[in-house]
Amino acid sequence: MEPPLVGPGPYRATRLWNETIELFRKGMPLRRHRSLFKNYECCFKASEAVDWLHELLRHNQNFGPEVTRNQTIQLLKKFLKNHVIEDIKGRWGKEDFEDDSHLYRFPPSSPLKPYPARPPYRKEVIKFPDWNVPEAGTSQEHIPVKPLMMNSEMWFKRHSIAIGEVPACRLVHRQELTQANIEEIWKSMTLTHLQKVLALDSLDEVLDTKLVNPKHIIHNVYNVNKQGVVILEDKTKELPYWVLSAMKCLANWPSCSDLKQPTYLGFERDVFKTIADYYGQMKEPLLTFHLFDVFVSVLGLLQKNNKAVEALQVSCLLLPPENRKKLQLLMKMMARISLNKDLPPLCDIAGTRALMVQAFSHCILRSKDEVDLNELLAAKLVTFLMDNCQEILNVPSSLQAVIEEHVVHLRRVQIKYAGADTDTALPGPSFCHQISTDEFEYQRVNGSQEPLAALLEEIAMNKEISVKDKKKKLKQFQKSYPDAYKERFPTPESEAVLFPGKKKQKPQLLMWALKKPFQPFQRTRSFRM
């Protein structure tokens, strides 16, 4: 009975709507009912539908056990309005669904919602500043990687350390990053990180990246107080003083000595209603309309608590600073109120926690087009936010460190060695594609062996260096690249050709060296006739 979790991705709200309809039509028990002295086949009472669907939603991991009966009734009203169900006489649309014994049935066909039309897939390429001509707002469709065509001289300079030499080098000061460059880096790296956490091929289906303001991201990261709450530059966008006082009153109840509040019965309920009315009159939710699909996608990660927290951390950085501050203050108040046992009940028919979710879900998350599962999706997200607000509404330190380190790297002075290839400042990141095994072997052989052979040949044929230096370099080359050396000089004789032998003059022999050692005179017997 428990359906699989619908993960993050485009059209998640529509997918959940279609799946819920299919489960409801497939599993809702149908039987004969009698009404006004007439029998009706294959139908169900309204109260039976509420019971069955409520149980389905509570055990569905896409919605959770905190779905209320009232939310189930609201969903069935939408089912009736969209002709997912009809009354026993075939009426729908203008009828109102109530939790009673009225009879309903399924129409012969219940078309599912079509997926909304989206712009064609556009690959979002990370933009990096052009060091030669930095222009704000420019973009690159692809980041080119210049092929390195090395000759023997270039290879010699690159690998000269291996043969005992260090080439000449110089310091290159990069052009200063403009504010536009820094903003583009923050935007691109933040969106790339969000795409990675959501495990999406592209953010195009859930977010219009053109609407993301990098100034908001930077402000939300750096302009915060000791408690991590955003500091606004425009004070006119702050919460009104009376709303902030009311929120402090309930959040710190009953120890709010700095506030002069009356002590009449039901005072705390009036304060809560004041706060709920202020947030309820906002024309746009705090999480903004254009970020709706992003936050709905994050709901697909709630089973993986750490991933969901990380995704919400990054997503909340995209909010306008005034929205982020209002959300921070509201969530902190809701978390404190829901855990405050000293606070009197704020409602007679609902618990404090359920009341918090019910009162503020609509002002936190909703779609501009009023998607049919708005209430359920918002309630699930607000519940998770309330339980993890302290961590979610903090700045993600790991992302901040990575971006700051990247900016420092781009500003750092670079050491450039003499040589055509190393003098060219190539872009930091590059994109690669898979190649065949044959192509890899060809590149491996031609990319390393041929330049090595050319370098060895240049050393061998260089007439400007002395014989002693040439032998020294050849010996070092043989030690570093024995295979390439053996290929060129397979035998000692082939190596000896480089050093033609000179005619050696025999040293002058001393006469005394030819004489025998001195011996005493000995008389010999002579034979005379």
Side-chain angles (χ1 to χ4, degrees):
M1 185 175 179
E2 183 175 348
L5 179 69
V6 177
Y11 323 116
R12 188 173 187 271
T14 304
R15 285 185 288 152
L16 287 172
W17 169 264
N18 289 341
E19 181 192 80
T20 305
I21 291 175
E22 290 179 336
L23 292 173
F24 182 49
R25 286 176 59 88
K26 183 178 180 180
M28 178 66 203
L30 305 176
R31 60 187 180 88
R32 177 189 297 179
H33 287 83
R34 185 175 180 83
S35 177
L36 300 177
F37 308 103
K38 186 176 181 180
N39 292 328
Y40 296 94
E41 300 290 341
C42 299
C43 57
F44 51 87
K45 292 182 179 180
S47 57
E48 293 173 347
V50 176
D51 292 338
W52 193 91
L53 185 58
H54 185 215
E55 194 67 16
L56 171 71
L57 296 175
R58 291 182 68 253
H59 288 86
N60 188 323
Q61 56 185 334
N62 293 299
F63 303 105
E66 299 201 16
V67 176
T68 64
R69 189 175 182 86
N70 182 62
Q71 290 173 335
T72 306
I73 295 173
Q74 297 301 318
L75 181 57
L76 283 166
K77 288 185 177 182
K78 294 184 177 182
F79 280 178
L80 182 59
K81 182 179 179 180
N82 289 275
H83 204 194
V84 176
I85 60 176
E86 61 185 17
D87 75 356
I88 203 63
K89 295 183 180 180
R91 294 173 297 189
W92 60 278
K94 296 182 179 180
E95 303 296 322
D96 195 14
F97 185 92
E98 299 292 342
D99 189 2
D100 53 21
S101 59
H102 198 80
L103 295 181
Y104 291 91
R105 69 188 181 190
F106 292 117
S109 61
S110 179
L112 303 179
K113 276 187 175 294
Y115 293 108
R118 292 279 185 170
Y121 175 80
R122 295 178 292 105
K123 186 174 182 180
E124 183 72 13
V125 180
I126 300 177
K127 302 174 184 177
F128 291 88
D130 184 356
W131 301 113
N132 296 322
V133 185
E135 295 181 0
T138 58
S139 62
Q140 299 174 351
E141 183 66 21
H142 300 286
I143 298 179
V145 179
K146 181 181 178 181
L148 301 180
M149 304 299 294
M150 291 190 182
N151 54 26
S152 59
E153 180 180 358
M154 294 165 60
W155 190 271
F156 179 81
K157 291 176 180 179
R158 170 172 285 191
H159 294 270
S160 56
I161 295 178
I163 59 174
E165 293 184 2
V166 177
C169 63
R170 58 189 176 89
L171 296 181
V172 176
H173 296 268
R174 285 180 164 172
Q175 296 184 13
E176 183 177 358
L177 287 175
T178 64
Q179 183 63 27
N181 295 147
I182 296 177
E183 291 175 0
E184 196 61 37
I185 291 171
W186 271 93
K187 176 180 176 179
S188 60
M189 295 189 70
T190 301
L191 293 180
T192 300
H193 186 71
L194 178 61
Q195 178 180 334
K196 180 180 179 182
V197 175
L198 293 178
L200 299 178
D201 294 332
S202 172
L203 291 178
D204 291 338
E205 301 292 352
V206 297
L207 174 66
D208 186 354
T209 56
K210 294 179 181 179
L211 300 179
V212 176
N213 191 338
K215 290 183 173 64
H216 293 168
I217 302 175
I218 298 175
H219 187 101
N220 291 333
V221 170
Y222 292 109
N223 291 47
V224 295
N225 59 19
K226 294 181 180 179
Q227 289 75 36
V229 179
V230 176
I231 301 173
L232 300 182
E233 296 178 352
D234 187 355
K235 300 304 179 183
T236 61
K237 296 181 179 180
E238 295 276 6
L239 279 172
Y241 176 76
W242 54 272
V243 176
L244 190 59
S245 298
M247 295 175 69
K248 288 182 179 179
C249 177
L250 289 186
N252 299 315
W253 187 276
S255 58
C256 43
S257 57
D258 58 325
L259 301 174
K260 297 180 180 180
Q261 72 273 10
T263 57
Y264 63 85
L265 185 64
F267 167 73
E268 65 283 346
R269 296 192 179 191
D270 289 343
V271 174
F272 178 77
K273 186 177 183 302
T274 299
I275 302 170
D277 289 343
Y278 172 79
Y279 276 94
Q281 53 84 30
M282 293 189 304
K283 296 181 179 180
E284 186 176 19
L286 294 177
L287 299 184
T288 70
F289 288 136
H290 85 273
L291 292 176
F292 174 79
D293 288 332
V294 173
F295 285 100
V296 170
S297 290
V298 175
L299 286 172
L301 297 174
L302 294 192
Q303 299 296 327
K304 304 175 182 178
N305 188 77
N306 294 336
K307 283 289 185 182
V309 169
E310 185 179 6
L312 287 173
Q313 279 184 333
V314 180
S315 301
C316 289
L317 285 181
L318 308 181
L319 296 173
E322 58 270 19
N323 288 41
R324 181 177 171 88
K325 182 168 186 176
K326 290 178 181 178
L327 180 65
Q328 287 176 316
L329 296 176
L330 178 60
M331 296 311 305
K332 288 187 176 183
M333 183 203 73
M334 293 171 61
R336 286 191 179 185
I337 290 178
S338 63
L339 298 175
N340 190 353
K341 298 180 180 179
D342 296 328
L343 183 67
L346 299 176
C347 182
D348 294 330
I349 60 176
T352 303
R353 180 182 174 87
L355 179 63
M356 294 295 106
V357 177
Q358 180 181 349
F360 297 109
S361 292
H362 190 259
C363 71
I364 292 177
L365 179 70
R366 71 177 185 273
S367 171
K368 189 174 183 179
D369 301 325
E370 290 296 329
V371 177
D372 300 299
L373 294 176
N374 262 356
E375 293 85 356
L376 295 177
L377 298 176
K380 189 172 181 64
L381 180 64
V382 171
T383 301
F384 189 80
L385 281 171
M386 191 166 56
D387 294 338
N388 302 274
C389 65
Q390 189 63 38
E391 189 175 3
I392 290 173
L393 295 175
N394 283 337
V395 175
S397 56
S398 59
L399 175 62
Q400 180 182 355
V402 169
I403 297 178
E404 289 176 347
E405 182 180 352
H406 182 69
V407 172
V408 170
H409 169 72
L410 294 179
R411 286 172 166 166
R412 188 176 295 131
V413 175
Q414 302 294 310
I415 299 177
K416 298 297 180 181
Y417 292 96
D421 62 319
T422 53
D423 285 339
T424 305
L426 297 177
S430 60
F431 300 93
C432 59
H433 62 278
Q434 189 174 3
I435 61 176
S436 63
T437 304
D438 296 338
E439 186 176 357
F440 170 78
E441 289 297 327
Y442 175 80
Q443 292 183 5
R444 182 182 66 83
V445 173
N446 292 274
S448 60
Q449 298 301 320
E450 290 185 1
L452 283 174
L455 175 61
L456 179 57
E457 191 67 22
E458 181 174 340
I459 298 173
M461 298 303 165
N462 193 340
K463 298 180 179 181
E464 297 180 359
I465 59 177
S466 63
V467 174
K468 182 179 179 180
D469 290 341
K470 181 181 294 188
K471 288 183 178 181
K472 181 179 178 181
K473 290 183 178 182
L474 289 174
K475 186 175 181 180
Q476 290 174 339
F477 190 99
Q478 183 181 17
K479 184 178 180 181
S480 301
Y481 309 104
D483 294 336
Y485 190 86
K486 189 174 181 180
E487 183 72 20
R488 175 62 177 83
F489 302 110
T491 62
E493 290 76 10
S494 59
E495 182 181 3
V497 175
L498 298 177
F499 310 102
K502 297 181 180 179
K503 294 182 179 180
K504 297 183 180 180
Q505 297 180 354
K506 294 183 179 181
Q508 187 176 1
L509 298 178
L510 299 177
M511 296 300 297
W512 60 269
L514 298 177
K515 295 181 179 179
K516 294 182 179 180
F518 176 77
Q519 296 179 356
F521 176 78
Q522 295 181 357
R523 181 182 296 271
T524 59
R525 180 179 298 180
S526 60
F527 298 91
R528 296 180 180 176
M529 297 302 298

